[in-house]
């Protein structure tokens, strides 16, 4: 599966990055394919919430627009590397 994904130019939407966990479950209840990653940034623990990946960047942009409106955020669209 991972090698098949390399054949696509996939996009992913980064919703939130914070020291406090924002539950991806809220997004999943709204039928988004969401997941959370724990990362270290500038020596501090951070939680990043992602939606995707999307094969079509236009779909990622549509999700971003809807999520920004619903959660009053300013998500960004990133290139997804499996």
């Amino acid at each position: 599966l991972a090698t098949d994904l390399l054949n696509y130019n996939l996009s992913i939407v980064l919703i939130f990055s914070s020291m406090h966990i924002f539950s991806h479950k809220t997004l999943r209840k709204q039928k988004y394919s969401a997941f959370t990653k724990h990362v270290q940034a500038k020596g501090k623990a951070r939680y990043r919430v992602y939606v995707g990946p999307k094969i079509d960047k236009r779909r990622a942009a549509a999700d971003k627009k809807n999520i920004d409106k619903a959660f009053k955020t300013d998500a960004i669209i990133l290139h997804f590397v499996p």
Side-chain angles (χ1 to χ4, degrees), residues 1-48:
L1 178 65
T3 55
D4 291 339
L5 292 176
L6 293 176
N7 296 325
Y8 296 100
N9 188 11
L10 300 174
S11 298
I12 194 163
V13 182
L14 172 61
I15 307 300
F16 197 71
S17 181
S18 173
M19 292 189 317
H20 305 289
I21 192 162
F22 174 86
S23 179
H24 62 280
K25 293 177 186 176
T26 303
L27 293 163
R28 285 189 174 185
K29 285 180 185 175
Q30 295 187 16
K31 306 299 183 207
Y32 291 105
S33 174
F35 62 97
T36 304
K37 278 191 173 182
H38 179 259
V39 297
Q40 290 287 328
K42 297 181 182 178
K44 296 182 181 179
R46 300 273 184 204
Y47 298 93
R48 293 184 178 165

Side-chain angles (χ1 to χ4, degrees), residues 48-65:
R48 293 184 178 165
V49 179
Y50 297 91
V51 170
K54 302 288 184 183
I55 293 174
D56 185 346
K57 192 170 184 177
R58 291 173 294 183
R59 289 183 183 176
D63 282 354
K64 176 200 176 326
K65 181 180 177 182

